[in-house]
Amino acid sequence: MFIFDFGGDVMSYKTIRKTASDSITIEKSEFIGAISPVKSDEEAVAFIEKIRSENRKARHNCYAYVLRDGFITRYSDDGEPQGTAGLPILDVIQKTGLTDLVIVVTRYFGGILLGKGGLTRAYSNAASLAVGASEIVEMLSGYYLEIESDYSWYERIIRCLGEQGARVDNTEFSENVKIVAAIKAEACDRLMEALVDLTNGSVDIVKSNETTIDFS
């Protein structure tokens, strides 16, 4: 038995796996770049406020973030001269092709004015360092398959999944064996056909909506 649940086309994209940070000191001012994955305005704002609360003595906490949902981009100079902080941070994000993330660059003023050009370079450098400190992942279009069969097919199904490039995410042993596997979109139909052929049609497969999955 097969259950197909199709969604719309899903685009692959690049993002980061977890929060990271790095810093640079320029003319006695310290610029700390902090980066975090986010999925919504609320998550981005929460991270920005977290960085602010951790750096209450800092002169500025400038930021930019990009979200896939709604194609949202936001940025702030947080008191720095217009165009010298938020936009350079946003430019770094856009040039890397990353999305669903926020970067906050905190500045501890060292007493020496940098000028607009110097500030722009400093915030850009700090944002680039934050990206460099993070772990970039590519989210690819794919499906989750829930595969149910009797135990006699288990080892052969596992071998087939590996041969077809699928990843086993969960296995449940009860009356039958249930396997949840992730597979790239372009290989899904081939895998399902292989499972049907292998088991002479005795396997049940539930196919998820198309989604984006980290296969790394």
Side-chain angles (χ1 to χ4, degrees), residues 1-33:
M1 178 180 64
F2 301 89
I3 300 175
F4 299 97
D5 192 4
F6 295 103
D9 292 338
V10 177
M11 298 295 291
S12 301
Y13 65 96
K14 291 191 299 180
T15 187
I16 63 168
R17 180 168 283 123
K18 59 185 178 181
T19 300
S21 66
D22 203 348
S23 66
I24 185 172
T25 300
I26 301 173
E27 298 290 354
K28 299 184 179 180
S29 283
E30 184 181 18
F31 295 83
I32 306 169

Side-chain angles (χ1 to χ4, degrees), residues 5-13 39 68 100 138-145 167 169 180-186 188 207-215:
D5 192 4
F6 295 103
D9 292 338
V10 177
M11 298 295 291
S12 301
Y13 65 96
K39 289 288 189 179
R68 290 174 67 241
D100 282 356
E138 186 173 9
M139 303 295 289
L140 301 176
S141 296
Y143 296 92
Y144 290 102
L145 300 180
R167 183 187 70 211
D169 285 354
V180 176
I183 184 70
K184 293 177 183 177
E186 65 271 17
C188 187
K207 179 182 178 182
S208 74
N209 286 335
E210 187 176 2
T211 187
T212 49
I213 302 172
D214 175 9
F215 286 98

Side-chain angles (χ1 to χ4, degrees), residues 49-128:
E49 291 305 317
K50 175 178 179 291
I51 296 300
R52 281 189 176 135
S53 68
E54 293 172 352
N55 296 276
R56 297 188 183 279
K57 294 183 179 181
R59 180 73 66 89
H60 306 281
N61 288 282
C62 307
Y63 66 82
Y65 62 89
V66 176
L67 303 174
R68 290 174 67 241
D69 187 11
F71 303 100
I72 294 170
T73 60
R74 304 198 194 285
Y75 61 89
S76 170
D77 295 314
D78 193 33
E80 292 283 29
Q82 185 175 357
T84 63
L87 274 175
I89 298 169
L90 179 62
D91 185 60
V92 168
I93 297 173
Q94 292 177 330
K95 285 181 176 177
T96 61
L98 297 171
T99 189
D100 282 356
L101 68 114
V102 56
I103 297 177
V104 183
V105 177
T106 299
R107 182 189 184 189
Y108 284 90
F109 183 56
I112 300 175
L113 298 176
L114 300 180
K116 287 189 175 182
L119 283 173
T120 299
R121 289 189 294 274
Y123 279 100
S124 179
N125 287 341
S128 296

Side-chain angles (χ1 to χ4, degrees), residues 154-198:
Y154 173 66
E155 291 185 2
R156 280 171 285 185
I157 288 174
I158 290 294
R159 185 163 56 249
C160 179
L161 291 173
E163 291 170 350
Q164 296 294 328
R167 183 187 70 211
V168 175
D169 285 354
N170 188 57
T171 305
E172 178 184 327
F173 300 100
S174 54
E175 183 178 350
N176 290 319
V177 61
K178 293 182 180 179
I179 302 165
V180 176
I183 184 70
K184 293 177 183 177
E186 65 271 17
C188 187
D189 288 345
R190 184 175 66 247
L191 170 61
M192 293 177 69
E193 290 173 3
L195 289 171
V196 171
D197 290 343
L198 173 68

